[in-house]
Amino acid sequence: MLEIYLPIPPTINHYYCPRQGSYAKYIGSEGKIFRQKAFIIKNQLNLKTIENQKLKISIDFIFNNNYKNDIDNRIKPLLDALQYVQLIDDDKNIVQIGHINKYVDKSQKESFCKIILEASNLEFKQFQIPDYLDKLL
């Protein structure tokens, strides 16, 4: 199990920026700054890459204000940054989400997130597509 604290990632709307005249996107300045901070923290803690392992992730977002903070738009930038800084080898290896919580703690100087990565015990399960869905597919 690995527990790490990072700054709050930017929302997906600020992490990725549209390339003019194209549908392509690139990492914007807020995304680059977040990646740099994550990289510095990973190196300060001397963490190694978690490789070839199915992972379960749990995330606590701790905000220091009551501002309308949208947590679902922060998950993909967080996962992409964990892969970019080589904390995980590939975000597709995250196969299970333990929890995603949002807290407000006005006593905190800055907002941050707590991430827990651990081996997933999720086993393959056979699913049957219900008739009502099968008709739509």
Side-chain angles (χ1 to χ4, degrees):
M1 182 185 86
L2 171 68
E3 182 176 299
I4 185 171
Y5 292 79
L6 294 175
I8 294 286
T11 64
I12 202 159
N13 302 330
H14 292 97
Y15 188 82
Y16 294 108
C17 296
R19 195 171 303 280
Q20 268 189 322
S22 170
Y23 290 107
K25 296 186 180 205
Y26 64 94
I27 306 299
S29 60
E30 288 185 44
K32 289 178 182 176
I33 291 168
F34 177 70
R35 282 176 162 190
Q36 287 174 329
K37 289 178 181 179
F39 188 75
I40 290 167
I41 291 168
K42 178 197 178 237
N43 286 342
Q44 284 177 342
L45 298 174
N46 198 28
L47 299 173
K48 305 287 185 234
T49 305
I50 301 171
E51 295 182 298
N52 301 320
Q53 189 173 353
K54 300 298 182 201
L55 297 170
K56 173 182 173 182
I57 189 168
S58 298
I59 308 166
D60 290 320
F61 291 101
I62 298 92
F63 294 95
N64 65 351
N65 59 52
N66 280 329
Y67 183 73
K68 186 177 145 188
N69 294 299
D70 191 1
I71 60 173
D72 65 327
N73 278 334
R74 297 180 190 272
I75 298 166
K76 182 61 176 162
L78 177 61
L79 297 180
D80 284 356
L82 293 177
Q83 180 177 327
Y84 177 79
V85 303
Q86 297 178 343
L87 191 56
I88 58 176
D89 62 342
D90 197 328
D91 63 0
K92 73 177 180 187
N93 287 334
I94 295 178
V95 297
Q96 189 176 14
I97 296 176
H99 69 262
I100 300 171
N101 296 325
K102 173 183 168 181
Y103 300 98
V104 175
D105 182 352
K106 293 182 180 179
S107 71
Q108 297 297 328
K109 186 174 136 184
E110 296 292 332
S111 297
F112 61 93
C113 59
K114 172 185 163 185
I115 301 131
I116 298 174
L117 289 165
E118 54 192 318
S120 173
N121 58 2
L122 190 66
E123 294 183 22
F124 178 77
K125 185 176 179 182
Q126 189 73 33
F127 291 93
Q128 178 69 34
I129 297 175
D131 288 339
Y132 65 86
L133 181 58
D134 194 32
K135 292 175 185 175
L136 295 173
L137 302 175

